[in-house]
Amino acid sequence: MKEFITQSVYFGVVISFIGYEIGLFLKKKWKMALLNPLLIAAVFVIGILLVFDVDYESYHNGAKYISYFLTPATVSLAVPLYRQLSVLKKYPLAVLGGIAAGVLTTMVCIYLLALGLHLTHEQYVTLLPKSITTAIGMGISEKTGGIVTITVVAICITGIVGNMLAQTVLKLFHIHNPIAKGIAIGTSAHALGTAKAMEMGEVEGAMSSLAIVVSGIMTVVSISIFSKFI
């Protein structure tokens, strides 16, 4: 069985889609935030690899085809932003100020966490890019001397948790403005959070898409400063 799996070109794609479909089914059936399709898919894939003793490279050789859709999917985020461009023109300072506040909060929280847990410089800079997209985060982590693989894990966990808890946190703090919702989600949980924002509404999705881009730029600048603190 293991030999068949490792020789199958599309094995990674198949089990990834199966895991995600299982997650969607469970989410629709029980409507629980914990049953996030992305989380279920990750657990399912890891379980299959462990049960059949399949190495990651064999899985990646098939699953890499899914990555080809990442670029067009990311570019498509500009569509809702274009449709809501008037909102950005009307509240530029509020939007940019909100994103800046989110980025600064992330930097300060990671800094305090590093101090509290006595992290090394390498561990500290590894976590700093956790709230931005993987492509940018990997580059920053490598340049500042972090552990790139751990950075990717931190980014994925941040996105999944953000996707799962976004609505709960917004309700908890009584945040009802769609612009504020989108900015908060996009700044803290990048693309995975934006997927949830788009489910909430077009304005939320547009502002979240904008937050991904702007927070990425602001984070690059901020890390160049914060990385020197430890």
Side-chain angles (χ1 to χ4, degrees):
M1 184 65 177
K2 177 182 177 181
E3 184 178 353
F4 169 77
I5 291 175
T6 54
Q7 291 179 354
S8 177
V9 179
Y10 300 107
F11 164 72
V13 175
V14 172
I15 65 169
S16 296
F17 276 121
I18 291 176
Y20 191 77
E21 286 299 321
I22 292 175
L24 284 177
F25 172 77
L26 295 176
K27 178 71 173 180
K28 291 179 180 178
K29 185 175 180 64
W30 282 291
K31 301 185 184 303
M32 296 174 58
L34 184 61
L35 298 176
N36 182 275
L38 294 171
L39 179 60
I40 297 298
V43 172
F44 178 80
V45 170
I46 292 173
I48 292 294
L49 298 184
L50 290 176
V51 169
F52 294 101
D53 191 27
V54 178
D55 59 276
Y56 174 76
E57 287 300 322
S58 298
Y59 164 75
H60 178 67
N61 286 337
K64 64 183 180 183
Y65 297 106
I66 299 178
S67 301
Y68 295 159
F69 297 96
L70 181 60
T71 299
T74 303
V75 173
S76 68
L77 294 176
V79 176
L81 175 59
Y82 175 76
R83 291 175 178 171
Q84 299 296 327
L85 197 59
S86 59
V87 177
L88 176 59
K89 292 179 178 179
K90 189 175 181 179
Y91 307 106
L93 294 179
V95 171
L96 296 178
I99 297 174
V103 172
L104 181 60
T105 300
T106 298
M107 296 294 105
V108 172
C109 287
I110 296 299
Y111 174 66
L112 295 177
L113 177 68
L115 290 179
L117 298 179
H118 305 289
L119 300 184
T120 64
H121 173 77
E122 181 184 45
Q123 295 167 336
Y124 170 57
V125 296
T126 294
L127 296 178
L128 280 177
K130 73 173 185 63
S131 293
I132 57 177
T133 57
T134 306
I136 301 176
M138 289 174 63
I140 295 176
S141 179
E142 183 177 8
K143 186 175 181 179
T144 55
I147 307 171
V148 178
T149 51
I150 302 300
T151 298
V152 173
V153 173
I155 292 173
C156 290
I157 292 176
T158 300
I160 291 175
V161 172
N163 185 289
M164 291 169 53
L165 301 181
Q167 287 184 312
T168 302
V169 173
L170 292 173
K171 289 180 181 179
L172 180 64
F173 290 95
H174 304 287
I175 300 174
H176 305 294
N177 186 285
I179 299 176
K181 287 181 179 180
I183 291 173
I185 296 173
T187 302
S188 59
H190 51 82
L192 295 181
T194 300
K196 173 59 67 176
M198 288 185 169
E199 293 179 11
M200 297 178 183
E202 190 169 358
V203 175
E204 289 90 335
M207 292 300 101
S208 188
S209 301
L210 172 66
I212 292 178
V213 178
V214 178
S215 65
I217 298 173
M218 289 183 177
T219 299
V220 171
V221 176
S222 300
I223 289 180
S224 66
I225 299 172
F226 276 82
S227 61
K228 300 176 183 178
F229 291 174
I230 293 181

